Amino acid sequence: MELWIQPCAACADLYGRPSSVEPHDTLAPGTPDTASPNQHYVCGRCSAVFTRVLSGRQAGQIWMLLNAGQH
Ligand SMILES: [Zn+2]
């Protein structure tokens, strides 16, 4: 399935990393999610949208790329 946007190199590198890793230079904080403590970031280069998961299981606390599924 062609779900994924084409992330820039920095985003491709960040995806799946632990959320303790600092965001790279092109990531800007996105709209806060009031329903969760997770942070959202948007890449100024490739428009990737990340959730920095800061809650839940330790193993789930990673950088997730959200805008898979956009057309
Ligand atoms: Zn990017």
Side-chain angles (χ1 to χ4, degrees):
M1 287 196 295
E2 291 286 334
L3 287 180
W4 298 92
I5 62 157
Q6 201 62 254
C8 66
C11 288
D13 181 63
L14 188 65
Y15 169 62
R17 302 278 298 276
S19 59
S20 56
V21 173
E22 292 300 313
H24 55 73
D25 288 346
T26 63
L27 283 183
T31 310
D33 183 351
T34 53
S36 85
N38 299 331
Q39 297 172 352
H40 286 195
Y41 287 86
V42 180
C43 180
R45 187 179 299 161
C46 70
S47 300
V49 179
F50 278 96
T51 294
R52 188 183 194 183
V53 181
L54 297 169
S55 62
R57 293 177 304 118
Q58 188 80 36
Q61 294 183 19
I62 59 169
W63 284 92
M64 292 199 313
L65 188 55
L66 280 193
N67 51 348
Q70 283 190 355
H71 300 289

